[in-house]
Structures are given as structure tokens and as C-alpha cells.
Amino acid sequence: MKGINYKNIFCLALVSLTLSAPALKADEKDLYDFMWLDPDKKVYVLQNKVHKKANTVYLNVGYGTGLTSTFQDTSLFHTNFGYYLTEEWAVEGLYTKYSNSDNDALANLKRLNGSIPFIRSTESNYGLIAKWSPFYGKINTFNKIFYFDWSFGLGLGKMNTKSNALSVANPLSANTYSNEKYTSVIAKTGLSFHATKNIHVGLDVIMNNYKAPGPTINGGAPASKMRTNTDAIVTVGVSF
């Protein structure tokens, strides 16, 4: 449906869920000191953790959208799998395959100015990250309690891309795309909602940060600079 920016809606929903979450704690046992109590008085708070993660394996598959490109619409298929060493730390491998198509912004630019912009599209990426899940909590809605975890990840990956960097600056040359490969630093954050003991639904934002040059001008490429490829993904997974 034209006129609706699904990328902005998806991001707004993810931010709203995060901001509206109740108080989160990572440990089951927490010790609080209250200034108004006697110095020797301490209050222990125990929050039972329903969904344990230590020594569990998980597998997720998902579908999402790319949030980076101005002149292309990007959809993607994503999968990740990992193992929780402790309740908070896991090792995760991930893979993403992209599908790119020219959007209305590119069509209008061609029609009005007769020009083609510089485009770098991501074809696929994969990587390995360390995943940290310091927060967990629960939401009571429609008289039902939903448990969730909030995690962060950091690691390294490989990106396969295509760009018209070699041809876009030459008006006499046909617009062609060349294959490229880059090493990326992967940063990830996500919410995982537990539907049952073994099934969960997730909302993830993944950023691949990499260094790459822009278009070739007068036979020479400009200096490389840091760039970011950002994806928003809905996943469904199992753990055991």
C-alpha cells in the first residue's frame, strides 16, 4: 500500500515496546539497602525466573526489512542459532540473505534528472557474536503474563555487497554493478518474548558497521569511510 512507511512503523513499535517494559532485573536474588532502615537491616528481593537459559540451545528464523538504502527497497530472510553458556552469556552465529529492488525515489530521480545515484546493496552477510542478556521481565496484558528477555550482541562478520562505484561517475558508461566483500563489526539488540517454554518470538535490530569507499571519480576511488547497514527483523524460534 503506497503512502505508508512500514520501516518507520516497525522501528516505532520496537522502541515503544522497549520503553513501555516494566522494571527489569538480571539476577534472581537482589539485595537492596534502604536509607530509612536501621543500618543492619537489609531487604532481599527474590524474582523467580520462569524461562531458564543456561546450557540451552536456540534456533531462530525471521523476516525483516533493510533500513539503510535510500533508493532501494530491501527485504531479507534471517536465521541465527546459539548456545547459552550461562544465564546471561551466549555465543551466536547468524546469516542474512537480502532481496533488493529499485524504489520510487530512484525511478523519480531517473525520470526528472536523467541521473543515476551511487548505490551499494547488501546481498548477504554472516557472522559470529557474543550475546549478553542482562535484563528479563514480564508484561501483564489481556489478563495474561508474557515473559521476555532483552539482549545485546557484538561480534564480527562478512558482508557480500554490490555497487555501481566504478560506473556511476561516468555519464558515458552503462550503469553496472560489481561484487564486493567487506569485514563488518556486528552490533545487535533484541527483545525475545516467550510464547511457551520452548517457543519464542523476537524483535531484533542488527547493524553491520564496515569501512568502504564511495564512487570512483576520474579513475580514482575516494578514501574509505565507515558505513552502516541496519536491519529490523521479526523472528520465531525454539530453544531446548
Side-chain angles (χ1 to χ4, degrees), residues 192-239:
S192 180
F193 295 87
H194 299 275
T196 67
K197 181 179 179 180
N198 301 107
I199 299 176
H200 49 266
V201 178
L203 297 173
D204 295 337
V205 174
I206 301 176
M207 293 176 289
N208 278 272
N209 306 280
Y210 63 102
K211 195 172 185 180
T216 300
I217 301 175
N218 297 326
S224 297
K225 69 175 186 178
M226 291 303 300
R227 305 175 189 273
T228 301
N229 185 75
T230 305
D231 304 320
I233 307 166
V234 176
T235 65
V236 177
V238 295
S239 60

Side-chain angles (χ1 to χ4, degrees), residues 2 19 41 76 90 150 159 165 185:
K2 294 185 177 180
L19 294 180
K41 295 295 179 65
L76 59 94
W150 184 12
M159 298 181 60
V185 176

Side-chain angles (χ1 to χ4, degrees), residues 55-240:
N55 300 315
T56 60
V57 176
Y58 62 90
L59 171 66
N60 301 318
V61 295
Y63 181 82
T65 182
L67 306 178
T68 301
S69 180
T70 303
F71 299 104
Q72 289 192 321
D73 292 328
T74 302
S75 59
L76 59 94
F77 170 79
H78 174 81
T79 183
N80 62 64
F81 59 92
Y83 176 72
Y84 270 99
L85 304 170
T86 67
E87 279 297 311
E88 296 185 4
W89 289 97
V91 177
E92 178 177 297
L94 51 85
Y95 173 80
T96 307
K97 178 65 177 178
Y98 298 82
S99 177
N100 304 286
S101 61
D102 296 343
N103 60 18
D104 289 342
L106 179 57
N108 291 334
L109 187 64
K110 289 180 180 179
R111 183 170 59 251
L112 297 176
N113 298 332
S115 59
I116 297 175
F118 169 61
I119 296 175
R120 174 173 283 117
S121 59
T122 305
E123 301 296 308
S124 65
N125 66 47
Y126 58 92
L128 186 68
I129 66 172
K131 184 177 177 180
W132 180 44
S133 303
F135 305 120
Y136 72 89
K138 54 190 174 182
I139 298 175
N140 186 356
T141 181
F142 301 112
N143 294 322
K144 185 174 178 60
I145 295 177
F146 294 94
Y147 297 88
F148 67 93
D149 295 284
W150 184 12
S151 64
F152 304 88
L154 188 66
L156 293 176
K158 286 288 186 180
M159 298 181 60
N160 296 309
T161 67
K162 285 185 177 181
S163 83
N164 59 354
L166 298 178
S167 63
V168 68
N170 185 356
L172 301 179
S173 174
N175 185 48
T176 58
Y177 290 84
S178 301
N179 294 324
E180 304 168 332
K181 291 185 178 182
Y182 299 102
T183 298
S184 66
V185 176
I186 302 173
K188 173 182 177 180
T189 185
L191 292 172
S192 180
F193 295 87
H194 299 275
T196 67
K197 181 179 179 180
N198 301 107
I199 299 176
H200 49 266
V201 178
L203 297 173
D204 295 337
V205 174
I206 301 176
M207 293 176 289
N208 278 272
N209 306 280
Y210 63 102
K211 195 172 185 180
T216 300
I217 301 175
N218 297 326
S224 297
K225 69 175 186 178
M226 291 303 300
R227 305 175 189 273
T228 301
N229 185 75
T230 305
D231 304 320
I233 307 166
V234 176
T235 65
V236 177
V238 295
S239 60
F240 49 90

